[in-house]
Amino acid sequence: MLNQPAALDLTFHALADPTRRAIVERLSHSPASVSDLARPLAMSLPAVMQHLALLEASGLVVSEKTGRVRTCRIEPLAMRQAEEWIQARRREWVARLDRLGAYLNELQGKGGGDGPHE
Amino acid sequence: MLNQPAALDLTFHALADPTRRAIVERLSHSPASVSDLARPLAMSLPAVMQHLALLEASGLVVSEKTGRVRTCRIEPLAMRQAEEWIQARRREWVARLDRLGAYLNELQGKGGGDGPHE
DNA sequence: GTGATACTGAAGGATATGCTTAACCAACCA
DNA sequence: TGGTTGGTTAAGCATATCCTTCAGTATCAC
């Protein structure tokens, strides 16, 4: 519970970069090696490595080295937590709009005007 | 590579900071003035203003000034787009796991073994 | 062995980020 | 009128981010 905010920091920051999102998109389709990931990316291999290190630190990606090839794959849990944070916010403002609607409903009912229309 | 991805860049980057997520959480509950938002935040008012500017640039928050008070409220669309990007990734890897499962099923069916257990 | 492939580590530089303080303007209020 | 409240601007500073190049190490093919 204490590190939950820091985990979201890392996850959202990882997703804030287009290169890293491209890597996540690629890995959502299938696992891939580091050079597979680097090939379409218009930057040096060390740069891709640094993006991957950040993706691993955030928990979005896991990797395993076999021989000289490191195979990267997606780890869904981190992205799930980010999604749940967003959904929790939506539940809050939906609930607020519901309360507002109920209040306006009640006002119109007491005022004897037309019935609410929604 | 400048428009649509840039919107996600801004949204995820805005959500990567705990102060800005706290502001979004606060505004998900109800609209608030700038100083309402700043009061619990242990930093100067200009710092809060800079976070708000970034939240507005990302489209997560909108504000309106009446008299000398600026009232901020949440704008759900930006967060919705971020959520949809995450959901699209999940659809991809779920589809991949389904294909893998079907493949393993077929292998086991031909081999005459037990079904998969998950 | 030799050479190519796949990755890793270290150092550095340009720019971005997250805060600060100081000064300022624009409503309200007594 | 003068003072307080709410917000805004500008400048500056420490650190973080994103990329580079150069120099490795470890594995594989022959």
Side-chain angles (χ1 to χ4, degrees):
Chain A
M1 300 299 179
L2 188 64
N3 283 346
Q4 189 81 344
L8 282 178
D9 288 4
L10 290 175
T11 306
F12 281 127
H13 175 244
L15 294 177
D17 183 277
T19 298
R20 289 192 292 267
R21 282 201 308 280
I23 291 176
V24 168
E25 291 183 17
R26 170 66 183 80
L27 292 179
S28 295
H29 182 63
S30 71
S33 72
V34 174
S35 18
D36 283 345
L37 293 173
R39 196 163 301 117
L41 280 184
M43 70 181 63
S44 68
L45 198 64
V48 176
M49 295 278 304
Q50 286 165 27
H51 284 299
L52 277 173
L54 213 151
L55 285 167
E56 290 213 50
S58 75
L60 283 163
V61 164
V62 294
S63 73
E64 187 188 5
K65 193 160 182 179
T66 310
R68 60 182 165 172
V69 176
R70 176 171 298 277
T71 300
C72 306
R73 64 194 73 242
I74 209 139
E75 169 53 55
L77 184 58
M79 215 151 57
R80 181 97 192 116
Q81 289 174 339
E83 189 183 5
E84 276 170 3
W85 184 89
I86 294 178
Q87 290 173 341
R89 299 293 81 68
R90 187 168 64 230
R91 279 195 296 276
E92 283 177 1
W93 61 256
V94 164
R96 169 162 66 88
L97 292 183
D98 284 352
R99 286 194 301 274
L100 180 60
Y103 172 67
L104 293 179
N105 251 341
E106 188 174 349
L107 277 190
Q108 287 214 342
K110 279 181 175 170
D114 293 346
H117 47 78
E118 195 174 358
Chain B
M1 193 164 109
L2 200 62
N3 273 337
Q4 182 78 345
L8 282 178
D9 287 6
L10 290 176
T11 305
F12 281 127
H13 175 244
L15 294 177
D17 183 276
T19 298
R20 290 191 291 265
R21 282 201 309 280
I23 291 176
V24 169
E25 291 184 18
R26 169 67 182 81
L27 292 179
S28 294
H29 182 63
S30 72
S33 72
V34 174
S35 19
D36 282 345
L37 293 173
R39 197 163 301 115
L41 280 185
M43 70 181 62
S44 68
L45 198 64
V48 176
M49 295 279 305
Q50 286 164 28
H51 284 299
L52 277 173
L54 214 152
L55 285 167
E56 290 211 52
S58 75
L60 283 163
V61 164
V62 294
S63 72
E64 186 189 6
K65 192 161 181 178
T66 312
R68 60 180 167 172
V69 175
R70 178 171 295 278
T71 301
C72 307
R73 64 194 75 241
I74 209 139
E75 170 52 57
L77 184 59
M79 216 150 57
R80 180 98 194 117
Q81 289 175 338
E83 188 182 6
E84 276 169 4
W85 185 89
I86 294 179
Q87 289 173 342
R89 300 293 80 68
R90 188 168 63 229
R91 277 194 297 276
E92 283 178 0
W93 61 256
V94 163
R96 170 163 64 89
L97 292 182
D98 284 352
R99 286 194 301 273
L100 181 61
Y103 172 67
L104 293 179
N105 250 342
E106 188 174 348
L107 278 190
Q108 287 216 341
K110 281 182 175 171
D114 293 345
H117 46 80
E118 192 180 355

